[in-house]
Each structure stands twice: as structure tokens, then as C-alpha cells.
Amino acid sequence: MEYGLFDYATAPRIFLQRTGSGPLHMAWDTNILVDYLQYGKAIWGDGDLEIEDPEYASQVEAVGRIMDPLFCFWDIRIHLSNEILNDAKRELSIERRSGRERALERFARALMFADWSEESDEGDDLENECSQEPLFEEEALTQPVSPIRQSLSAALPDGHDRILVTEAVERGMHVFLTRDQGVLRTAALADRLGLLIVSPVEFLQLFEESGLSALQFPVPDLARISKVIEALEFD
């Protein structure tokens, strides 16, 4: 097995009966992205999250464990669409934290393996730089929408979440990570379309139940790790 890749058949509850091998493609909901930008420095630095709600704290801690050690040792591709980038900016603006907006832009570039330079930090071309190609043949887009997809769309909360989950299905994502209860309630329908909708805590549980080792490989990919950490350096 090539370094970092998954044998899909060894984790059927995560990859939903897929076969073959490759990376794990994971889409994040806006709430996960905003949590990571807010608490990422504490996550990587083993600092105190200072979150009073224990249930919320456990979810944020789980995001931290997905990033370290899972993201460090496995080929997990975190996908941020233009829709989520724009929505996250709106959420961050409410907090009036321009530093976090800057972190968002840098984090997106790090995840997309785009060129990294101080000169491009302003993010004017962020949407163009971070757009990604679908993971499936484009002809699939022209196929009629199945009844299951129609049912999933109707069951999802109206608006932004519906767009993000629909896009995750269309792009062939394996996992959609969210804390939103309205989205989580649609997990059974999404399973039938090959998309696992889970909270961070639930994902970790499935990973552990699959028997996969978090430290499966000798050393982490230090270059990709350094970029996602550097993205969180803001005043």
C-alpha cells in the first residue's frame, strides 16, 4: 500500500462498501471550519480550549484529533468549496476578526496544495485558486437526479447546508463533517448516495472501530502539516 492511502474495504462504515484504495476525501461544513480557525492554535499547541459546554468541547477536540494525528499520517484531503469559503467569511466578519479571515485564506491555500507566498496572502484570487475539479466523470452531471437525491435535498435544511451537502454528493466526497443536527439527521439518506455524514466525534469512533491505526506510517508529511499550522498564525 502506498504511503498514507486507505484500503477502502478495510473501513466499510467510513467508505460505505467502496473497494480499491486511495485518499479519504472529506468536505467540511462551515461550523467545522470556523471552529478550526477559532481553536486551531490551541489544538496544535495542546492549549486549553476554554469551552464551557462539554459536548461542544468534545466536538472541537475531535476536530483536533482528525488533524493530529490522522491528517498528519494519512492521506486525508479536506475540501473547501467556494460556497463554504464565502459563508465562513460572513461568519468570521460577525466576530470582527480580520486575522481569522486571513487565516481562512491561507488555510484554504494550504489544503488545496496551491502556491504559498506572502505576496498572495490578501486573497483577491482566492476563489479561483481554491476551486477543485470533481472526483467523478463530468458526464455524471447530465444524468437525471435520482429519487434518493431528491429525498435527501428535501430533507436537508433549506439554504446553505443543502448546497454544501448536494455539492459533496456531486463531487464524490466520502465524508461530510458537520455539527449541525439538521444535517446529521439526513445521514441515512446520504449513505445511500455514498456520502457519510458524521460529526467529528462520530468519525473518530468509526475510524477506531475499523481497526485502522492513527499512526500507521513511519513519519508524517511535515511539509503539508507545517502549512496548515502556519495558516493559523494571526494576531
Side-chain angles (χ1 to χ4, degrees):
M1 177 66 65
E2 187 177 341
Y3 180 89
L5 298 184
F6 292 83
D7 178 352
Y8 296 150
T10 63
R13 295 188 63 191
I14 293 176
F15 294 102
L16 302 178
Q17 310 304 321
R18 288 178 174 86
T19 58
S21 63
L24 186 154
H25 293 279
M26 176 184 286
W28 280 10
D29 201 350
T30 306
N31 51 65
I32 303 297
L33 177 57
V34 172
D35 286 346
Y36 179 73
L37 292 174
Q38 182 170 355
Y39 298 107
K41 293 175 75 172
I43 285 170
W44 287 103
D46 294 324
D48 187 352
L49 295 176
E50 298 183 354
I51 299 174
E52 295 183 1
D53 181 349
E55 183 175 348
Y56 178 33
S58 68
Q59 295 293 351
V60 175
E61 289 168 359
V63 173
R65 289 178 59 197
I66 289 170
M67 296 304 294
D68 181 17
L70 301 191
F71 178 82
C72 295
F73 285 88
W74 290 89
D75 190 352
I76 296 177
R77 311 281 178 89
I78 298 171
H79 294 254
L80 306 178
S81 67
N82 289 337
E83 177 70 23
I84 190 176
L85 293 171
N86 291 333
D87 190 60
K89 277 193 172 185
R90 288 191 291 269
E91 295 247 359
L92 293 170
S93 295
I94 292 174
E95 298 179 11
R96 298 181 179 179
R97 293 297 297 272
S98 60
R100 288 183 187 158
E101 288 194 22
R102 184 180 179 88
L104 166 63
E105 294 158 2
R106 302 180 80 180
F107 183 56
R109 287 194 181 90
L111 291 178
M112 302 306 143
F113 306 100
D115 291 336
W116 185 281
S117 69
E118 293 299 324
E119 290 76 16
S120 63
D121 276 349
E122 294 305 316
D124 292 337
D125 298 323
L126 180 64
E127 292 186 5
N128 292 331
E129 291 182 10
C130 295
S131 59
Q132 297 169 289
E133 294 299 320
L135 304 174
F136 54 88
E137 295 296 329
E138 292 192 8
E139 288 79 4
L141 290 173
T142 64
Q143 299 300 315
V145 176
S146 69
I148 299 174
R149 277 188 56 183
Q150 291 176 334
S151 297
L152 174 61
S153 180
L156 286 162
D158 192 16
H160 172 74
D161 288 320
R162 182 175 296 171
I163 294 171
L164 287 181
V165 173
T166 299
E167 185 177 78
V169 171
E170 291 176 347
R171 292 180 57 78
M173 296 288 109
H174 300 133
V175 176
F176 185 83
L177 203 67
T178 182
R179 288 191 294 100
D180 188 291
Q181 291 300 315
V183 177
L184 290 168
R185 281 193 289 269
T186 68
L189 283 169
D191 279 4
R192 298 172 66 185
L193 295 169
L195 178 67
L196 175 68
I197 296 180
V198 284
S199 71
V201 168
E202 291 169 334
F203 177 80
L204 286 180
Q205 291 172 344
L206 291 176
F207 195 95
E208 292 170 359
E209 289 170 5
S210 71
L212 296 171
S213 171
L215 307 178
Q216 181 74 18
F217 304 98
V219 292
D221 184 340
L222 297 178
R224 69 199 287 257
I225 296 169
S226 66
K227 287 188 176 182
V228 297
I229 295 175
E230 288 168 8
L232 296 167
E233 293 300 323
F234 55 85
D235 297 326

